[in-house]
Amino acid sequence: MFYAIVGEDRPQSLDDRLAARPAHVERLQALQDEGRLLLAGPFPAIDSPDPGPAGFSGSLIVAEFASLEAATSWADADPYVAAGVYQSVTVKPFKKVLPA
């Protein structure tokens, strides 16, 4: 089943986000290589694809996991969590409807 993982960044976390990004992307790449990643990306803090110093307000990952517990465990081990980028993380089951 798919699960949506929404990480909400803490204020002033851009430097920590940039430092932890390579390890974060490596884990996402592993999901993609396994055919389990539906989509992933950050939420720009302003209405721009490149928010510059405004940074990001969080991230969304939608990926396939065996269970909610497995998705939560994976999310808890994210480098952004370890670096203190995320102030909160929500994991919910996700039902993909479109595109079919």
Side-chain angles (χ1 to χ4, degrees):
M1 178 166 190
F2 285 111
Y3 294 87
I5 300 168
V6 179
E8 297 289 340
D9 286 17
R10 68 171 168 74
Q12 310 302 318
S13 62
L14 182 58
D15 289 342
D16 292 333
R17 174 184 268 273
L18 294 175
R21 186 175 188 277
H24 172 79
V25 171
E26 183 177 329
R27 294 178 82 233
L28 293 172
Q29 187 63 54
L31 285 178
Q32 181 173 319
D33 293 347
E34 295 167 5
R36 297 171 45 207
L37 183 64
L38 184 63
L39 64 91
F43 300 117
I46 60 173
D47 190 12
S48 172
D50 181 5
F56 300 91
S57 64
S59 302
L60 170 65
I61 299 163
V62 180
E64 189 174 16
F65 292 92
S67 66
L68 177 59
E69 293 77 21
T72 300
S73 178
W74 187 92
D76 288 346
D78 193 286
Y80 284 173
V81 171
V85 173
Y86 292 154
Q87 65 183 359
S88 66
V89 177
T90 303
V91 181
K92 296 181 181 183
F94 180 83
K95 181 179 177 183
K96 180 181 179 284
V97 174
L98 295 172

